[in-house]
Amino acid sequence: MKARLGLRVFALLAVLNLVVFTGLGAFLSNRLEQQRSDLVFGLTEQTVATLEGTILPEGELNVARILDWPGWRYVSDAVLVDANLERAPSGRLWPRGVALHPVGQAKGPQDRSALFEGLDRCIRDRRSESLLGGLAVPIVVGGRAWGALWFVPREDETRGDL
């Protein structure tokens, strides 16, 4: 038996709406993710510029000024290390110099060894990399790699700004 005209029109409109809203949802989702990436990039640039401005060419840093920086409210976890990373006899890499946790150390990565290995690569290569759910960025002062920062952007802050 043929479906009534009203039912066919209703089904056609339902399918059409489904296609339109699915496409719109995918477009908006991609756009929001791009805006979040832009926010994280801006936060990264601002954080690195602040840190590079507080570290003297001799390598000394103004810890109070670093900890007072208001941008840490956009970060859920962070570790700042200088280039003094040393390999222990067990093969694990550990900071011998600066190892600052500007937002506390409440919920850091389970494997600190992997974190320090990644930060060491970041310092050696002078290149940012995604690491353990965050981002590792080199800190360059006076033309040389002073150290590196690993941080995790706060999800609620970057999503809320969008």
Side-chain angles (χ1 to χ4, degrees):
M1 177 189 240
K2 269 187 161 178
R4 294 189 333 200
L5 180 62
L7 187 58
R8 285 186 285 175
V9 169
F10 177 76
L12 179 65
L13 287 175
V15 169
L16 185 62
N17 279 329
L18 181 66
V19 169
V20 167
F21 284 111
T22 300
L24 185 61
F27 170 76
L28 289 176
S29 177
N30 288 341
R31 178 119 168 125
L32 287 173
E33 193 55 40
Q34 180 60 46
Q35 286 180 347
R36 183 181 185 283
S37 294
D38 293 346
L39 283 171
V40 170
F41 179 75
L43 175 64
T44 302
E45 283 190 325
Q46 196 175 47
T47 306
V48 169
T50 298
L51 290 172
E52 289 175 350
T54 59
I55 299 169
L56 301 174
E58 302 85 42
E60 298 174 20
L61 64 150
N62 184 339
V63 175
R65 190 167 159 211
I66 290 172
L67 294 177
D68 283 343
W69 181 59
W72 293 123
R73 69 187 168 118
Y74 297 111
V75 174
S76 66
D77 198 4
V79 176
L80 174 67
V81 297
D82 66 2
N84 281 331
L85 295 170
E86 183 177 274
R87 196 160 302 278
S90 66
R92 296 181 77 169
L93 199 61
W94 292 102
R96 186 170 180 218
V98 173
L100 182 64
H101 301 265
V103 293
Q105 193 175 357
K107 57 174 205 162
Q110 299 299 337
D111 187 4
R112 289 279 177 205
S113 181
L115 174 65
F116 294 134
E117 291 287 344
L119 289 171
D120 187 51
R121 271 191 315 275
C122 182
I123 294 167
R124 276 194 328 258
D125 301 342
R126 289 189 184 192
R127 196 174 56 211
S128 300
E129 72 173 76
S130 292
L131 180 65
L132 299 173
L135 184 64
V137 292
I139 305 298
V140 179
V141 177
R144 69 177 184 86
W146 176 87
L149 170 73
W150 170 82
F151 72 98
V152 179
R154 190 175 300 274
E155 281 293 316
D156 54 336
E157 294 293 337
T158 55
R159 296 250 186 249
D161 287 347
L162 298 177

